Amino acid sequence: AWDKGLDLDGNGRLTFGEFCIALDRLGLFGDVKGLWRDLLKLEPEKKDSELSMGFLLFGDLDASTDAELREMRSKLTEKHGNMLVAWLKGLDTSGSGMVNEEQFFKGCVDAGYAGNPRSLFRKMKPGKKAHLTLSEFDKKAYLAYSRGDFRMLSEVEHPTYGKKP
């Protein structure tokens, strides 16, 4: 839901604009600014112009799953160098473009992930599908793959990426 319905541009942050679009798509109305203020933990007297300056990270909404994803990404990157190579050599070893729960489990365990790969797989896969694709697994890896950038050179994160101002 995060990358399909909230973080529409895939930059890891939810802006007020994206938040408004998501609520509109869901047909939810009401005190949108008040809800945004609550999520950002802003004081009620803050000006409306200040609402657009903040953003939410996935960890602000689900800290435990965010920690699991970060650990899994860290272990896979440590073993394979980047998330695209981790997908190609550690998870999608058959080259089918899809990874089922068993493949995901094996790849995570082989990389040294100490969490519960089966639970994480179920959280990551959309709906009732039995598999993950690269774009669902890691959007930046998918974009690098589509450009032929197997070393993900153009996806180097800025030091302040994803950090609150």
Side-chain angles (χ1 to χ4, degrees), residues 7-23:
D7 180 24
L8 301 175
D9 60 5
N11 70 354
R13 298 181 290 191
L14 176 65
T15 64
F16 182 64
E18 290 170 320
F19 181 70
C20 290
I21 291 169
L23 291 180

Side-chain angles (χ1 to χ4, degrees), residues 36-47:
W36 183 252
R37 272 192 184 90
D38 290 347
L39 289 169
L40 287 179
K41 300 174 178 69
L42 292 175
E43 301 299 322
E45 61 274 354
K46 292 279 186 184
K47 296 177 187 161

Side-chain angles (χ1 to χ4, degrees), residues 87-103:
W87 174 264
L88 296 170
K89 296 192 179 217
L91 298 173
D92 184 20
T93 56
S94 67
S96 68
M98 297 180 285
V99 171
N100 64 29
E101 188 173 330
E102 286 305 313
Q103 291 169 299

Side-chain angles (χ1 to χ4, degrees), residues 132-151:
L132 275 174
T133 62
L134 177 57
S135 65
E136 295 157 350
F137 172 70
D138 189 282
K139 191 169 294 248
K140 289 182 181 184
Y142 171 75
L143 293 172
Y145 180 77
S146 67
R147 290 189 304 274
D149 179 10
F150 291 92
R151 294 190 297 165

Side-chain angles (χ1 to χ4, degrees), residues 106-122:
K106 184 179 181 329
C108 287
V109 169
D110 288 350
Y113 174 61
N116 183 340
R118 293 186 195 285
S119 172
L120 188 57
F121 177 83
R122 290 183 200 117

Side-chain angles (χ1 to χ4, degrees), residues 34-90:
L35 179 56
W36 183 252
R37 272 192 184 90
D38 290 347
L39 289 169
L40 287 179
K41 300 174 178 69
L42 292 175
E43 301 299 322
E45 61 274 354
K46 292 279 186 184
K47 296 177 187 161
D48 285 348
S49 62
E50 294 181 51
L51 291 177
S52 64
M53 297 182 66
F55 59 86
L56 290 171
L57 303 175
F58 178 67
D60 295 328
L61 301 176
D62 188 345
S64 63
T65 301
D66 185 57
E68 292 174 50
L69 287 167
R70 287 180 186 276
E71 182 191 350
M72 182 264 305
R73 288 183 180 122
S74 173
K75 294 296 183 183
L76 288 170
T77 301
E78 193 175 293
K79 179 172 174 94
H80 298 285
N82 68 48
M83 291 299 283
L84 178 53
V85 175
W87 174 264
L88 296 170
K89 296 192 179 217

